Amino acid sequence: FRDNAHLMAQYADSVRAARRIAEGKTGLVRIAYMAFAATELMPAAVARFSRAHPHVEVSLQYIRTQGQKLALARDEIDLGYMIGPFDHPEYHSLLLATEPLYVATPRNHPLLRRPVIKPADLAGEKIILGDQKEWGEYRWRLADMFHTEGVELNVALEASNTLGLLGLVSAGLGVTVYPESLTGFLGRAVELRPIMHPAFRLNTVLVWKRANHSPQVRAFVATARNLPAHR
């Protein structure tokens, strides 16, 4: 009888464990994010999700947007915070934020004397951007925005990360263009002004495979969807 009772208890535990997995209350969710989601969108969603689902393991990886698309296709991650839009019949895409772009300049830069800064005002300026390897998607979208306004960017220097960009700007070697999500992390040697144009905005989207029916993924998407919108 004791053996039977032990077997029944094991069976009941297995059933409860399977139910928790099916309900998304345990398991693993693998999330990738790019730089512009790292400061607010991703941490806020992970924090709320972890409080609601303490037994679900969250795996985080920093991957640039193009790398995330490959990782999703290979089933190496479940969800990706990437630069949007991303329209593909095999994927869901949830718009999380549409944020304005800013010009970051050294102190006392001539651009700061303008009442407003428009895209055309950056024509001829020495521009400092992230390199193509890490910032390729952002640079492509930025170049497209300026090209639409008839402005070709004069990229004078490149850096592989945000600290490098800010160091070069603060040293007076040029200006850069930043999304609003990163503007709270600038040093005192850098000044900010918004680019006054309705099209100069950056989208951040959350992407996952339509074929991925994981309850953990559905639960995380619901969490991200219900966070206060960033506009």
Side-chain angles (χ1 to χ4, degrees), residues 142-159:
L142 201 63
D144 187 58
M145 291 179 199
F146 277 100
H147 181 73
T148 300
E149 296 301 307
V151 178
E152 298 300 322
L153 293 179
N154 172 25
V155 181
L157 290 168
E158 296 181 341

Side-chain angles (χ1 to χ4, degrees), residues 23 32 53-54 57 61 73 77 85 87 92 96 134 137 139 143 146 162 193 203 209 213 220:
E23 293 173 351
H53 305 273
E57 180 184 353
Q61 295 183 67
I77 59 173
D87 298 315
H92 290 292
L96 296 176
E134 291 294 328
E137 184 82 12
R139 286 184 56 159
F146 277 100
T162 54
R193 294 293 186 275
N203 293 338
K209 270 188 172 181
H213 301 297
F220 190 90

